[in-house]
Amino acid sequence: MVRRQKSTLFTDCKETNTVLDLKKIIDGITKVSPEDQRLFKGDEILEDSKLLSDCGFTTATARAQDPALLGLAFRGEDGEFEALNIAPLTQPPDLPEVMKQRGEPNSDVNSDQSTSG
Protein backbone atom coordinates (compact mmCIF):
# COMPACT_ATOMS: atom_id res chain seq x y z
CA MET A 1 0.00 0.00 0.00
CA VAL A 2 1.54 3.28 -1.13
CA ARG A 3 0.22 6.49 0.42
CA ARG A 4 0.68 10.13 -0.50
CA GLN A 5 -1.39 12.90 1.04
CA LYS A 6 -5.00 11.66 0.75
CA SER A 7 -4.28 9.08 -1.97
CA THR A 8 -3.79 5.36 -1.41
CA LEU A 9 -2.50 2.99 -4.10
CA PHE A 10 -2.71 -0.77 -3.74
CA THR A 11 -0.16 -2.69 -5.78
CA ASP A 12 1.04 -6.27 -5.99
CA CYS A 13 4.79 -6.87 -6.06
CA LYS A 14 7.18 -9.72 -5.46
CA GLU A 15 10.02 -9.74 -2.94
CA THR A 16 12.41 -9.95 -5.89
CA ASN A 17 11.15 -6.68 -7.42
CA THR A 18 13.35 -3.63 -6.95
CA VAL A 19 12.21 -0.30 -5.61
CA LEU A 20 12.60 0.99 -9.18
CA ASP A 21 10.19 -1.73 -10.40
CA LEU A 22 7.63 -0.49 -7.88
CA LYS A 23 8.17 3.11 -9.02
CA LYS A 24 7.45 1.99 -12.61
CA ILE A 25 4.15 0.48 -11.42
CA ILE A 26 3.33 3.76 -9.67
CA ASP A 27 4.26 5.62 -12.89
CA GLY A 28 1.63 3.58 -14.74
CA ILE A 29 -1.01 4.74 -12.26
CA THR A 30 0.02 8.34 -11.51
CA LYS A 31 1.85 9.26 -14.75
CA VAL A 32 4.75 10.59 -12.65
CA SER A 33 8.11 9.26 -13.85
CA PRO A 34 10.20 7.11 -11.45
CA GLU A 35 12.95 9.74 -11.20
CA ASP A 36 10.34 12.21 -9.90
CA GLN A 37 9.18 9.82 -7.16
CA ARG A 38 10.63 9.14 -3.73
CA LEU A 39 9.50 6.10 -1.73
CA PHE A 40 9.78 5.89 2.05
CA LYS A 41 9.61 3.15 4.65
CA GLY A 42 8.92 5.17 7.75
CA ASP A 43 11.37 8.09 7.49
CA GLU A 44 13.92 6.11 5.44
CA ILE A 45 14.24 6.87 1.72
CA LEU A 46 14.35 3.65 -0.30
CA GLU A 47 17.12 3.23 -2.88
CA ASP A 48 16.02 2.33 -6.43
CA SER A 49 18.49 -0.55 -6.76
CA LYS A 50 17.41 -2.38 -3.59
CA LEU A 51 15.16 -5.41 -3.69
CA LEU A 52 11.92 -5.06 -1.78
CA SER A 53 13.02 -8.00 0.38
CA ASP A 54 16.20 -6.07 1.29
CA CYS A 55 13.95 -3.23 2.47
CA GLY A 56 12.08 -5.60 4.78
CA PHE A 57 9.08 -6.32 2.55
CA THR A 58 8.46 -10.07 2.41
CA THR A 59 5.43 -12.32 2.19
CA ALA A 60 5.60 -12.52 5.98
CA THR A 61 5.45 -8.73 6.44
CA ALA A 62 3.27 -7.66 3.50
CA ARG A 63 0.11 -9.58 2.65
CA ALA A 64 -3.10 -8.65 0.86
CA GLN A 65 -5.08 -8.73 4.10
CA ASP A 66 -2.32 -6.81 5.96
CA PRO A 67 -0.43 -4.66 3.41
CA ALA A 68 2.88 -2.97 4.12
CA LEU A 69 2.86 0.83 4.14
CA LEU A 70 5.16 2.93 1.99
CA GLY A 71 5.16 6.70 1.74
CA LEU A 72 5.37 8.50 -1.60
CA ALA A 73 6.59 11.99 -2.41
CA PHE A 74 6.84 13.68 -5.80
CA ARG A 75 9.40 16.13 -7.16
CA GLY A 76 7.90 19.60 -7.54
CA GLU A 77 8.28 22.00 -10.44
CA ASP A 78 11.15 23.66 -8.54
CA GLY A 79 13.15 20.42 -8.75
CA GLU A 80 12.88 19.69 -5.03
CA PHE A 81 10.98 16.77 -3.53
CA GLU A 82 7.93 17.61 -1.47
CA ALA A 83 7.96 16.64 2.20
CA LEU A 84 6.40 13.28 2.95
CA ASN A 85 2.75 13.93 3.79
CA ILE A 86 0.33 11.11 4.57
CA ALA A 87 -3.10 12.31 5.66
CA PRO A 88 -4.75 10.20 8.36
CA LEU A 89 -7.54 7.93 7.23
CA THR A 90 -11.01 9.24 7.97
CA GLN A 91 -13.58 7.48 10.10
CA PRO A 92 -17.05 6.72 8.73
CA PRO A 93 -19.87 8.88 10.11
CA ASP A 94 -22.14 7.57 12.85
CA LEU A 95 -25.13 5.52 11.73
CA PRO A 96 -28.40 7.43 11.50
CA GLU A 97 -30.79 6.63 14.34
CA VAL A 98 -33.19 4.78 12.00
CA MET A 99 -30.43 2.31 11.13
CA LYS A 100 -29.37 1.57 14.70
CA GLN A 101 -30.73 -1.59 16.29
CA ARG A 102 -33.35 -0.81 18.91
CA GLY A 103 -33.95 -3.27 21.69
CA GLU A 104 -34.50 -6.97 21.07
CA PRO A 105 -36.08 -8.27 17.87
CA ASN A 106 -39.72 -9.28 18.11
CA SER A 107 -39.67 -12.83 19.49
CA ASP A 108 -43.09 -13.65 17.97
CA VAL A 109 -41.80 -13.27 14.42
CA ASN A 110 -38.73 -15.50 14.78
CA SER A 111 -40.18 -18.05 17.16
CA ASP A 112 -39.09 -21.67 16.83
CA GLN A 113 -42.16 -22.88 18.71
CA SER A 114 -44.69 -24.89 16.75
CA THR A 115 -48.28 -25.61 17.56
CA SER A 116 -50.05 -28.84 16.86
CA GLY A 117 -53.57 -28.84 15.78
Side-chain angles (χ1 to χ4, degrees), residues 5-60:
Q5 298 176 358
K6 294 183 179 183
S7 298
T8 303
L9 307 173
F10 290 92
T11 63
D12 186 27
C13 294
K14 295 183 171 111
E15 296 175 18
T16 55
N17 287 121
T18 64
V19 171
L20 181 60
D21 293 335
L22 178 55
K23 286 182 174 184
K24 289 176 182 177
I25 292 170
I26 294 169
D27 175 22
I29 298 168
T30 64
K31 306 301 183 214
V32 175
S33 65
E35 54 271 5
D36 292 332
Q37 301 174 33
R38 184 175 278 172
L39 287 173
F40 294 83
K41 179 182 181 187
D43 292 332
E44 176 190 354
I45 298 171
L46 302 180
E47 296 176 30
D48 288 353
S49 61
K50 280 194 161 187
L51 295 177
L52 293 178
S53 60
D54 294 339
C55 299
F57 300 111
T58 64
T59 54

